[in-house]
Amino acid sequence: MLTSVRYRWPAFVWLSILAVAPYACGGDADQSAPVPSAMTAVSGDAQTGTVGAALTQSLTVEVRDDAGQPVAGFTVSWSVASGGGSVSAASAQTGTNGQATTTWTLGGSAGAQTVTAAGSGLSVTFTATAEPGPPARVGISGATTLTALEATTQLTGQVQDEFGNALAGDVTWASGDESVATVAADGTVTARANGTAAITATSGSLSGSATVTVAQQAATLAVAPANPVTTVGGTVQMTATGKDANGFDVAGDVEATWSSATTTVATIDAAGLATGVAEGQSVITAASGSATGTATLTVTAAPFEPNVDTTIDGNVSAERISIPAGVTVTLAADATLSSATTLEVAGTLTGDCVAATLAAGGDLTVSGTLNNACTDSTATADLVLNAVGAITLTGATLTTAGSVTIDNTGTASALTPRARSAAGRAVERCDLTGVRIRSQYLGATGTLGDGTATRGATGKPGADHRVTCSGDMTLREALIDGQRGAWGGSRSGSGAEPIVSGDGGRGSDIYLTATGDVRFVRQQGDDPTFLIPGGGGKAGDASATGQTPRAVGGIGGRAGLAFVQAGGSIVVEAQGAVQLTWQDQAFSDVATGGSGGLGSALAEDGADAAGGNPARPGFDAEATGGTGGSVGFPDRTTNLVGDLFMGNVTGAGFITLISTDAGSGGSGQGAGGDGGDGDADNPNGAAGGTTRLTGGEGGPVTLFDNRGNVFAGNAGDGGGISFADGLTLDESGLGGMGWSDCQVGSIKAGGNGGAGSPAIGTPGQGGLRGTTRAGQPGTVNYFRYGNGGNAGDGAPAGSGGAASDNTLAVGAVGRITPRSLQPGTDGSPCAVAIEPGISVTSDPNGHAPFIGLGAVSSLSVQPGADGVLTVTGNGPWVTLTGTVAADGSFELTGTGTVAGFPGVTITFNGKLSLDANMRVTGISEGVLTMDAANDVLPPNGAGQRNPTVYSVTGSASN
């Protein structure tokens, strides 16, 4: 079937075409080219061929105009519309007969296929019938996965040509492994065992195969053991077996998803290991696909009394818990050891960075070691000791990476304690004798907390330690060591926003609270009880660059404090029984205030003059060091009795304070940018940028003993300021260089150097209220800042830039490096000269130009404004003016007096000597012409006229 389209154009379109489209060739100027109006098929339609083969007859169309005449040169586009295949040419031009031809190769799909010829709104569709090719293979279709034994699937075999078109033909079937799957004559496959088998279909010499997989899936599950039992903290391994849809056992244990209905009683992991959590029952479910199975797990309480080293991966709940001396219990994860009655640790309980809670329904006794320190020095893990009865820590060592909480009031319990019993509760008290609570320091890089692009993160605070007691609390030879705060995060960047580093984390506080008395006991030969709060973390450093760099160092973390509160009295039973200390020979530098962060700002240099724009000044820099951390609250005075020791202090002894240092203020350092250099159009250099630096304030000491109003501790030093970092910034802030102009061509005045950068610095003040030593202010150091820029050479030469005239240093000046704050050097004037020794040839009568007879020749050449040269001799004989070309050539003109004859016309054509930078070094050659008209100078005695041309040779330096 074919389709042709004939289109009749409206009259106004014809008129338009005739008006603007003359014939391609021949004819009169007012004739129009033929317009195609019909396209018809000439040959090639309704053929039959084999898939993938070319048709025997070409496809031909004919294009005619409205008058029925053939249209030559018309483009016909050929395209396959359906069935795939291809044409030999995507487009063709009609000949003089109006016909265009292409060849059609059929696609691989049997049945009807079409090709379209089109152009300018005209089209014809050709149709052909594609028949299958010869047999090439056997194709197999049907499901190939079976999930139960004796399950079946129907496969179909089909003879096909190379393109997959179906052909008539019978097939026979065979299985490559009948132990896995068998196949019937009609292609029905039956599963016999798990595995894979190749199923083959054959027709004559052709064959095809498909892989059938038998993989049983559970339709029902059975959970074992059917009635599991374990203890609190104990485990039991659960397994699941299954049957497929036809009732056959699934080989091996089924991979199931496990769950516990009551996780407060029992939990179960992905491998089926169930763990008892608390007494009771929980339904354990295994699921695999749509199949499920259940078993009820019973959890009973039992004593936890290991006699060998043991690892625990989860919580332990028991009637009583006892870890004897010589036994180590390792916690593999965060865990709570909960005892219904007593809990005793005489051995070791340890774990890497695990949060551990010991909860006793009766008394809690520790004489061994508890250690949950972290390998990762930036991580934390807390340690909680909770009891309903008495808490006794004798000779125990507690090492932690987080907070330590000791509480027998019930307020800190991770689990709700059991009801108090007379057997489990003898006395309400807390006894800490010979206890060592040691804190692992946080890592130096304390980037914990929230930070932004321009503000560093605040360092994590040290973890607080708390001992909260129902009844009396007794401490003897105890040591409670706080944790230092982490460092604040450093920040660096550029832009309009100030860069602010993170504050250091505060040191950990220590809280001792009892409803009864708090007693500090020291017998003869005893060490005192040490309360050592944590030190403040160092603030991060801030570094800013760019056009408006502003950097602010963070605030150092405050040192921790120790708070003691008693419902009764705070009893000190011997002199020095308790020492509130931040520094000790054994624990040096544990609780000083954190130092303030460094503020460092480096401004960009100004731009050099270019493109007609003048040089830009260097940009300003501003940096401020951070404040040092305090001892005591930084915003108020902290009293020893009343703020820290809250209650009635009694007894024969006294409380000893060992002083500490507050944090030093951070330094401010940086540099303003250099001014830009001048160029030929704008010769003056620009000024350097201003540098404003402020050292951080030293931290204050606001802690004192109000019995004598004596302040304890040394205040921190104020931060210094430095106009360099000692490495690469020691020339910043200089004024820009003036442009030099001694070049050949348009010689101009040399540019002036830019002014040096102002440098303003204020060191931080020392801390306040230190009795041993008050804080000292920082030192101001200059490193070659504020110098004026050097001027350029020229005619006249430029002046060097002035040094900074508002340099300010408040406080002690530690160092001023030589060449600091110096003015720039002046430029040199541009001048060339012909020195003595350069010959000027005289005439035969001895009439030498410019000079007397027999004297040595001497000429000088002085560049002036706008490239004008002035040449003078050794007497007031002549002055010549002129300009110099870029290559050094020049021509000077003027009049002078020669040998007593005034009004002589003189010209000087020459060339200057130039160096590699196109600067003048002298006159290399020249020709002096006088009285060219030969009408002024008289003839010589022999009646001859004077020669008018003289040569000048030689060179000279600036």
Side-chain angles (χ1 to χ4, degrees):
M1 175 181 179
L2 62 86
T3 302
S4 65
V5 177
R6 182 182 181 90
Y7 188 86
R8 184 173 299 279
W9 299 88
F12 75 91
V13 176
W14 279 111
L15 291 175
S16 300
I17 295 174
L18 292 173
V20 299
Y23 284 104
C25 61
D28 297 331
D30 60 348
Q31 291 180 321
S32 301
V35 177
S37 62
M39 179 186 294
T40 58
V42 176
S43 64
D45 188 36
Q47 298 183 70
T48 298
T50 303
V51 292
L55 294 175
T56 57
Q57 188 176 14
S58 299
L59 308 185
T60 303
V61 296
E62 184 177 81
V63 180
R64 291 183 176 274
D65 60 14
D66 198 50
Q69 296 300 313
V71 178
F74 180 80
T75 301
V76 178
S77 298
W78 302 90
S79 62
V80 176
S82 65
S86 62
V87 292
S88 60
S91 65
Q93 300 285 328
T94 58
T96 57
N97 60 357
Q99 295 182 359
T101 302
T102 192
T103 301
W104 184 5
T105 299
L106 296 176
S109 300
Q113 300 186 21
T114 57
V115 165
T116 300
S120 298
L122 307 178
S123 66
V124 172
T125 300
F126 292 83
T127 302
T129 300
E131 297 180 344
R137 66 189 185 196
V138 176
I140 298 177
S141 61
T144 57
T145 300
L146 298 171
T147 59
L149 302 185
E150 301 301 324
T152 61
T153 184
Q154 181 65 54
L155 300 182
T156 300
Q158 179 67 60
V159 179
Q160 300 171 345
D161 65 9
E162 64 173 318
F163 296 101
N165 297 303
L167 300 171
D170 296 329
V171 300
T172 58
W173 296 92
S175 171
D177 190 347
E178 293 191 345
S179 66
V180 174
T182 58
V183 61
D186 63 351
T188 300
V189 177
T190 302
R192 303 302 182 187
N194 290 321
T196 59
I199 305 299
T200 302
T202 304
S203 178
S205 62
L206 303 177
S207 65
S209 64
T211 299
V212 171
T213 300
V214 180
Q216 287 178 283
Q217 293 182 2
T220 61
L221 289 180
V223 176
N227 298 294
V229 178
T230 190
T231 60
V232 174
T235 61
V236 59
Q237 181 64 56
M238 309 297 290
T239 59
T241 57
K243 293 182 180 294
D244 65 22
N246 291 332
F248 291 95
D249 291 336
V250 176
D253 292 337
V254 175
E255 292 185 4
T257 300
W258 296 93
S259 63
S260 172
T262 309
T263 56
T264 57
V265 173
T267 59
I268 190 167
D269 64 14
L273 182 66
T275 302
V277 176
E279 294 179 71
Q281 290 185 326
S282 180
V283 176
I284 303 298
T285 300
S288 178
S290 60
T292 60
T294 62
T296 300
L297 173 64
T298 301
V299 180
T300 62
F304 179 70
E305 298 174 328
N307 55 15
V308 294
D309 292 348
T310 303
T311 298
I312 298 173
D313 188 5
N315 298 332
V316 173
S317 179
E319 183 66 21
R320 65 180 181 275
I321 295 176
S322 176
I323 301 175
V327 173
T328 297
V329 173
T330 301
L331 302 180
D334 295 349
T336 296
L337 278 62
S338 179
S339 170
T341 56
T342 60
L343 192 156
E344 179 181 4
V345 179
T348 298
L349 180 67
T350 186
D352 181 11
C353 212
V354 298
T357 297
L358 280 63
D363 293 341
L364 172 63
T365 302
V366 181
S367 58
T369 298
L370 306 179
N371 186 348
N372 69 337
C374 298
T375 302
D376 179 359
S377 63
T378 64
T380 58
D382 297 334
L383 185 60
V384 177
L385 281 66
N386 168 244
V388 174
I391 294 179
T392 303
L393 279 65
T394 303
T397 298
L398 283 62
T399 303
T400 180
S403 64
V404 174
T405 302
I406 302 172
D407 189 345
N408 72 341
T409 65
T411 59
S413 300
L415 301 175
T416 302
R418 291 183 171 217
R420 300 180 181 183
S421 63
R425 183 178 182 82
V427 179
E428 290 185 343
R429 60 177 175 78
C430 301
D431 187 353
L432 282 69
T433 301
V435 175
R436 296 291 184 267
I437 299 177
R438 302 304 302 270
S439 297
Q440 178 182 6
Y441 285 170
L442 295 174
T445 306
T447 55
L448 305 175
D450 295 329
T452 66
T454 58
R455 180 175 292 273
T458 299
K460 186 174 182 178
D464 297 336
H465 296 332
R466 299 175 184 270
V467 181
T468 306
C469 187
S470 177
D472 294 340
M473 181 190 304
T474 301
L475 298 97
R476 178 185 170 194
E477 289 192 299
L479 182 149
I480 303 178
D481 181 8
Q483 188 176 53
R484 182 180 61 195
W487 288 18
S490 295
R491 274 293 182 270
S492 61
S494 60
E497 292 294 323
I499 303 300
V500 183
S501 62
D503 297 340
R506 68 166 178 83
S508 65
D509 295 329
I510 298 172
Y511 296 87
L512 304 179
T513 306
T515 60
D517 294 339
V518 176
R519 307 179 68 86
F520 296 97
V521 178
R522 184 179 186 184
Q523 298 179 358
Q524 186 175 3
D526 285 352
D527 289 328
T529 289
F530 287 100
L531 302 181
I532 308 175
K538 178 188 181 300
D541 297 333
S543 175
T545 58
Q547 295 184 352
T548 57
R550 289 183 291 165
V552 181
I555 301 172
R558 73 163 173 85
L561 298 171
F563 300 89
V564 181
Q565 183 173 14
S569 297
I570 301 173
V571 182
V572 183
E573 296 189 357
Q575 292 185 354
V578 56
Q579 294 192 8
L580 175 58
T581 177
W582 291 268
Q583 288 183 327
D584 183 79
Q585 184 177 3
F587 319 111
S588 62
D589 195 28
V590 294
T592 57
S595 57
L598 165 72
S600 176
L602 174 60
E604 289 184 6
D605 296 338
D608 295 341
N613 296 316
R616 283 201 320 230
F619 292 94
D620 298 341
E622 182 176 349
T624 303
T627 302
S630 65
V631 175
F633 295 109
D635 55 349
R636 65 182 175 88
T637 299
T638 306
N639 293 335
L640 175 62
V641 178
D643 287 326
L644 300 186
F645 285 73
M646 295 164 280
N648 182 31
V649 180
T650 66
F654 54 84
I655 301 168
T656 302
L657 276 72
I658 299 179
S659 64
T660 184
D661 290 343
S664 300
S667 296
Q669 71 177 36
D674 292 351
D677 297 342
D679 67 358
D681 295 327
N682 294 277
N684 294 330
T690 299
T691 307
R692 293 183 176 88
L693 307 178
T694 304
E697 306 299 317
V701 176
T702 62
L703 175 67
F704 72 96
D705 179 354
N706 70 348
R707 291 173 297 184
N709 199 27
V710 177
F711 289 91
N714 300 323
D717 293 341
I721 60 173
S722 171
F723 292 89
D725 63 4
L727 297 175
T728 60
L729 310 185
D730 60 352
E731 293 290 348
S732 295
L734 304 179
M737 300 284 290
W739 183 73
S740 292
D741 187 20
C742 283
Q743 298 181 353
V744 174
S746 298
I747 298 177
K748 300 179 180 179
N752 296 324
S757 65
I760 303 170
T762 305
Q765 297 302 306
L768 305 175
R769 297 181 179 175
T771 57
T772 305
R773 180 180 60 82
Q776 301 298 314
T779 300
V780 180
N781 297 318
Y782 284 99
F783 291 79
R784 300 184 186 177
Y785 290 104
N787 293 351
N790 295 331
D793 300 333
S799 299
S804 170
D805 59 357
N806 61 343
T807 300
L808 174 65
V810 179
V813 176
R815 177 171 59 167
I816 298 180
T817 302
R819 294 200 303 111
S820 294
L821 312 177
Q822 300 297 316
T825 59
D826 295 336
S828 299
C830 296
V832 296
I834 300 178
E835 302 294 343
I838 294 177
S839 64
V840 178
T841 304
S842 64
D843 65 24
N845 295 320
H847 295 154
F850 304 107
I851 58 176
L853 294 176
V856 179
S857 302
S858 178
L859 297 178
S860 67
V861 182
Q862 179 68 42
D866 299 324
V868 175
L869 290 182
T870 300
V871 180
T872 60
N874 65 344
W877 314 113
V878 66
T879 298
L880 304 177
T881 60
T883 57
V884 181
D887 64 352
S889 300
F890 63 90
E891 180 177 350
L892 311 177
T893 61
T895 59
T897 299
V898 179
F901 292 91
V904 178
T905 301
I906 302 173
T907 61
F908 190 8
N909 291 280
K911 190 164 187 178
L912 301 177
S913 298
L914 308 176
D915 63 13
N917 296 318
M918 298 297 291
R919 292 180 178 272
V920 179
T921 60
I923 296 177
S924 62
E925 61 186 30
V927 175
L928 181 69
T929 301
M930 301 183 298
D931 193 21
N934 209 2
D935 59 2
V936 176
L937 294 177
N940 59 18
Q944 296 175 336
R945 304 296 295 180
N946 288 310
T948 59
V949 178
Y950 303 85
S951 65
V952 179
T953 60
S955 63
S957 300
N958 286 358

